Amino acid sequence: EGKFGTGFFRLGHSTYESFWHDIPLRPEGQSDDIINLVTEIPLYMTAKMEMQKTLPGNPIGQDSNSDGSPRYYTYGTTFFNYGYIPQTWEDPSLKDSMGNGGDNDPLDVMEVGSKRLEMGSITPCRVLGHLELIDEGEMDNKIICIALSDPDASSIHSMGDLERVKPGTIEKLKDWLKRYKTSDGKPENALANENPTSTKEAIELIHETNNRWKNLCGKGSGFVSDGHGFWLDAVGCKDRSGTSSSSRTGSNLATWDD
């Protein structure tokens, strides 16, 4: 609903009630290195789109600037597809070795294939590693993956493979993460480590953020207070129907609600 490019635009899904809680973390039957990527910002798009954590159904909408205007990237066009892993949460109470807490969002993903993924699409993606961005004092991890549908997917199973098949990609990702806000007059971000992690370490991070999401939904062993303001009243989070969202099937294509 609403016009694209305005603060009123909202994109929902034809099958899943929630873009955050109902879509399974990975396709059924896949190994731990395969996740579902929900695309917020397709390749070459500059509009800063993001899943709305506080709105019913957690639709995708455009982020806004401090003056209320729609937000756009100004540091060139994106050379990757950008989104997140559903059923994950970067808990602010979880600190890294430098004391930075999670950024209170689902775990971000940068997909490095050559094909544009549509906004709202759900794409099986192979995890290659991750980079830990420190953004304004928050831990903002970025999972690096390649869509299984990409022509190079069969040749890329690690960050080393990525550099061999698509040389220079890692350096471009690091430059983008550190400098994309500088074109808006803000200081550079920092990386906790200039070297990306291994697939194994990235999978461990995904597992931890999934456990934190379970705590958020009241399904884990930890407690999360109710002051977050998130919309959690979804089948996948509160399990209203008594069945897991991973058992539901349907089209992975997003719909434009009128």
Side-chain angles (χ1 to χ4, degrees):
E1 62 182 29
K3 183 179 179 181
F4 183 73
T6 72
F8 301 103
F9 173 81
R10 299 288 183 267
L11 177 63
H13 198 277
S14 60
T15 301
Y16 295 103
E17 180 182 21
S18 167
F19 256 125
W20 186 6
H21 308 300
D22 292 346
I23 299 167
L25 183 150
R26 62 177 49 87
E28 186 175 356
Q30 288 284 0
S31 57
D32 287 351
D33 64 329
I34 307 300
I35 54 93
N36 277 324
L37 161 64
V38 178
T39 296
E40 296 167 300
I41 306 171
L43 182 70
Y44 305 132
M45 178 179 280
T46 58
K48 178 64 171 71
M49 312 301 295
E50 61 180 22
M51 182 271 294
Q52 305 296 305
K53 296 176 292 183
T54 63
L55 296 183
N58 308 118
I60 294 172
Q62 190 163 356
D63 194 11
S64 59
N65 295 306
S66 58
D67 64 358
S69 60
R71 184 180 169 195
Y72 291 86
Y73 287 125
T74 58
Y75 191 63
T77 56
T78 57
F79 57 93
F80 45 82
N81 293 288
Y82 190 86
Y84 62 93
I85 303 176
Q87 299 187 350
T88 62
W89 177 51
E90 292 227 66
D91 185 348
S93 70
L94 179 63
K95 309 292 185 180
D96 66 7
S97 59
M98 296 176 288
N100 301 298
D103 70 348
N104 215 21
D105 287 333
L107 193 53
D108 292 330
V109 177
M110 304 173 85
E111 193 278 327
V112 293
S114 58
K115 300 175 70 174
R116 180 184 172 96
L117 303 176
E118 293 304 314
M119 187 193 309
S121 61
I122 304 167
T123 306
C125 207
R126 177 178 296 118
V127 174
L128 308 177
H130 85 278
L131 289 163
E132 183 184 333
L133 178 69
I134 307 302
D135 187 353
E136 299 181 14
E138 293 181 329
M139 179 172 52
D140 190 5
N141 290 291
K142 309 295 182 184
I143 296 292
I144 311 302
C145 79
I146 187 162
L148 297 187
S149 57
D150 191 83
D152 291 322
S154 61
S155 302
I156 300 177
H157 293 259
S158 67
M159 297 300 287
D161 289 341
L162 175 61
E163 187 61 21
R164 175 179 54 82
V165 176
K166 305 182 76 170
T169 299
I170 297 173
E171 286 302 315
K172 287 174 64 180
L173 290 171
K174 289 161 55 179
D175 175 82
W176 173 273
L177 290 173
K178 287 189 287 188
R179 304 195 69 224
Y180 77 94
K181 289 185 176 181
T182 59
S183 55
D184 296 323
K186 295 183 178 181
E188 285 193 12
N189 293 320
L191 293 172
N193 193 318
E194 289 290 321
N195 298 315
T197 67
S198 66
T199 300
K200 179 176 181 295
E201 291 170 299
I203 291 172
E204 291 171 354
L205 174 63
I206 293 167
H207 179 71
E208 177 62 38
T209 55
N210 176 243
N211 284 337
R212 297 284 171 155
W213 169 82
K214 290 176 182 177
N215 291 344
L216 180 66
C217 288
K219 302 195 295 184
S221 57
F223 172 76
V224 178
S225 65
D226 293 332
H228 46 70
F230 300 153
W231 186 81
L232 304 177
D233 192 24
V235 171
C237 190
K238 295 303 184 183
D239 206 16
R240 295 194 309 256
S241 68
T243 58
S244 167
S245 66
S246 62
S247 65
R248 302 199 296 168
T249 58
S251 170
N252 283 344
L253 297 179
T255 58
W256 300 86
D257 291 338
D258 295 322

